[in-house]
Amino acid sequence: IRGKILNVEKASIDKVLANAEIKTMINAFGCGFSEGYGNDFDITKLRYDKIIIMADADVDGAHISTLLLFYRFMPELIQEGHVYIAMPPLYKAMPKKGEEEYLYDDKALEKYRKTHDGPFTLQRYKGLGEMDAEQLWETTMDPEKRILLKVTMDEAATSEIDLTFTTLMGDKVEPRREFIEENARFVKNLDI
């Protein structure tokens, strides 16, 4: 997928099903999507044990990852533990002496700066496209080294999760603005 995918929270079911990228993913998974939309979802037909979402390590990447959860159409994928988010590095530290090191967030960069003696060059990855194939394999795809976050969902919090998805990704601007205003003070990872 290049760029942001269709926001399925805002789109009509006809528009969702007309989107070639979404149709391709639904077909690849092999299990259809939720009955509430006219089709039968059958988790036993899922072709993959792990569905790994890989996006840039910035705020836009996080937004794309959220869009790719297909929370409304296939919540069982999350509930049964099949959805993961790959964690690519945000930085590469290259010291004059010693080994290069990939850093996955600002906290890791801060720690590196405090503990590393000597000058180093820092490369910030603006996206996965800035890595060559070897770097992408080494940092994000190699099963021996990659970091995957399993997407989980607390059944008891389902109504709260529904409300959050509707608020943040729905077509009504006012509830989203109010949510942002009420929660802005809790922001820890702001990429501007």
Side-chain angles (χ1 to χ4, degrees):
I1 297 173
R2 290 165 285 165
K4 285 196 179 161
I5 191 168
L6 176 71
N7 183 342
V8 297
E9 191 70 27
K10 288 181 182 180
S12 69
I13 189 63
D14 294 335
K15 197 169 188 176
V16 170
L17 294 176
N19 183 285
E21 292 174 321
I22 292 173
K23 271 174 70 171
T24 299
M25 284 185 278
I26 290 170
N27 289 336
F29 298 163
C31 51
F33 56 92
S34 289
E35 293 173 5
Y37 295 98
N39 292 327
D40 293 328
F41 179 88
D42 185 352
I43 194 77
T44 65
K45 293 182 179 177
L46 181 64
R47 293 185 181 131
Y48 307 97
D49 183 52
K50 287 183 180 165
I51 296 169
I52 301 172
I53 298 169
M54 189 167 64
D56 295 348
D58 60 10
V59 173
D60 284 335
H63 185 218
I64 291 167
S65 293
T66 303
L67 292 172
L68 288 171
L69 290 176
F70 294 114
Y71 169 73
R72 293 279 180 219
F73 297 106
M74 301 180 223
E76 296 88 346
L77 293 177
I78 297 170
Q79 292 164 349
E80 296 200 18
H82 295 287
V83 181
Y84 295 80
I85 297 177
M87 301 302 297
L90 194 53
Y91 304 102
K92 180 180 180 182
M94 299 166 282
K96 295 262 186 219
K97 293 180 181 178
E99 290 189 32
E100 297 175 340
E101 189 174 331
Y102 291 102
L103 308 170
Y104 288 80
D105 55 28
D106 288 322
K107 194 181 259 187
L109 174 59
E110 188 178 313
K111 182 179 177 185
Y112 186 87
R113 283 189 165 132
K114 288 179 183 175
T115 59
H116 183 76
D117 294 326
F120 65 92
T121 304
L122 188 67
Q123 178 179 359
R124 184 184 193 286
Y125 292 112
K126 292 185 181 107
L128 297 172
E130 290 188 0
M131 290 186 211
D132 61 32
E134 186 178 308
Q135 290 172 322
L136 194 56
W137 170 258
E138 184 181 344
T139 63
T140 314
M141 297 179 76
D142 182 352
E144 300 295 319
K145 297 178 185 175
R146 69 185 179 200
I147 299 170
L148 297 179
L149 297 179
K150 188 175 194 175
V151 178
T152 61
M153 195 167 100
D154 181 358
E155 298 270 343
T158 300
S159 62
E160 189 176 325
I161 294 167
D162 283 345
L163 178 61
T164 303
F165 262 82
T166 301
T167 301
L168 296 179
M169 299 176 70
D171 56 0
K172 294 188 175 117
V173 175
E174 188 61 25
R176 183 170 36 257
R177 186 185 62 74
E178 289 172 7
F179 181 91
I180 292 168
E181 286 174 355
E182 291 169 10
N183 294 282
R185 67 180 181 272
F186 302 116
V187 172
K188 293 180 183 171
N189 182 17
L190 185 60
D191 186 12
I192 51 174

